[in-house]
Amino acid sequence: EPEVTQTPSHQVTQMGQEVILRCVPISNHLYFYWYRQILGQKVEFLVSFYNNEISEKSEIFDDQFSVERPDGSNFTLKIRSTKLEDSAMYFCASSEKHSTDTQYFGPGTRLTVL
Amino acid sequence: QQQVKQSPQSLIVQKGGISIINCAYENTAFDYFPWYQQFPGKGPALLIAIRPDVSEKKEGRFTISFNKSAKQFSLHIMDSQPGDSATYFCAAQNKAAGNKLTFGGGTRVLVKP
């Protein structure tokens, strides 16, 4: 069964450093998303991406964040200058079309900012 | 208005029992209501989902009941098994907002053998 993959599984970085989290969505999917989950809390929406542009972003997704689909398979989340409060599990998701199509989540990248 | 409220926060049920998790929402723009199951260290996995024009959906041991007028929906897990021990999240999707999923706070379910 096709699945969303994410790399790395765990990223440790120093405060102020840039990180890039990578995702490979399911191949025929057109909609891509990033969510995050701070330890023990609920999953929070960051951004949705369709047709090479951002469809929607949350208030969390400020100027420090950016997303990109650099080629036909990868979808990346960049945090330019990490803060301690960026420590969380970051999940990539994808869906085939829109509306009621299921969003399939990857296994996540645990980001630890020291 | 964007929140989805979920209760209880945690639940202990005996093997074979019924687990019931409730969610409530405010935003009438939500158009799809999935439930996700999450095991420690893993990503959320879709369990079952419902559209607002349907009042109930059943898949195996899992049933969603949906009350559009009350803006509430619930997950029933019948014949609960130890393997069902996980955190369950309700969510609501808004197509007009880039398919944004708004998650409830989660319910940690423990099924005792």
Side-chain angles (χ1 to χ4, degrees):
Chain A
E1 184 176 319
E3 56 184 21
V4 176
T5 59
Q6 290 184 243
T7 54
S9 56
H10 191 190
Q11 174 90 46
V12 181
T13 189
Q14 295 291 324
M15 189 170 57
Q17 294 297 303
E18 175 183 287
V19 294
I20 298 176
L21 310 183
R22 291 182 168 79
C23 167
V24 179
I26 295 173
S27 62
N28 63 335
H29 285 190
L30 302 176
Y31 288 78
F32 314 111
Y33 314 87
W34 284 100
Y35 293 82
R36 80 172 186 189
Q37 185 179 33
I38 295 171
L39 186 63
Q41 298 186 22
K42 68 178 179 181
V43 179
E44 299 175 291
F45 171 81
L46 291 177
V47 66
S48 61
F49 189 86
Y50 169 71
N51 200 25
N52 283 316
E53 59 182 31
I54 290 174
S55 307
E56 184 79 13
K57 60 183 181 179
S58 72
E59 60 277 7
I60 302 169
F61 194 89
D62 61 22
D63 292 344
Q64 293 300 315
F65 291 86
S66 63
V67 289
E68 194 178 32
R69 187 152 164 84
D71 52 42
S73 60
N74 291 283
F75 180 52
T76 61
L77 174 69
K78 181 192 289 186
I79 309 175
R80 287 191 186 81
S81 178
T82 50
K83 307 184 186 88
L84 295 176
E85 55 265 35
D86 293 329
S87 294
M89 196 77 164
Y90 287 80
F91 294 106
C92 174
S94 69
S95 63
E96 187 173 356
K97 295 193 294 293
H98 56 81
S99 184
T100 57
D101 281 326
T102 299
Q103 293 184 30
Y104 294 90
F105 282 73
T109 293
R110 180 173 299 283
L111 177 65
T112 302
V113 182
L114 302 176
Chain B
Q1 194 183 20
Q2 289 293 325
Q3 282 190 339
V4 176
K5 295 182 180 178
Q6 183 172 346
S7 62
Q9 287 185 311
S10 63
L11 184 57
I12 299 174
V13 62
Q14 291 294 125
K15 180 182 174 182
I18 302 173
S19 304
I20 301 174
I21 306 169
N22 300 297
C23 285
Y25 64 97
E26 291 293 326
N27 189 350
T28 55
F30 290 140
D31 48 22
Y32 184 59
F33 299 87
W35 284 87
Y36 283 85
Q37 179 187 55
Q38 185 180 34
F39 293 104
K42 304 291 186 184
L46 180 74
L47 194 61
I48 186 172
I50 197 167
R51 302 181 188 188
D53 54 349
V54 176
S55 61
E56 185 174 281
K57 184 174 181 180
K58 182 176 180 179
E59 289 183 1
R61 296 185 293 108
F62 302 94
T63 300
I64 301 177
S65 297
F66 189 87
N67 186 329
K68 188 174 181 178
S69 60
K71 291 186 255 182
Q72 295 175 347
F73 58 112
S74 61
L75 176 69
H76 291 61
I77 306 173
M78 313 297 287
D79 187 26
S80 296
Q81 300 296 312
D84 296 333
S85 297
T87 299
Y88 293 82
F89 291 95
C90 64
Q93 183 168 295
N94 186 346
K95 174 187 172 184
N99 300 334
K100 169 184 175 180
L101 277 174
T102 300
F103 282 81
T107 297
R108 186 174 293 184
V109 174
L110 176 64
V111 182
K112 289 195 167 182

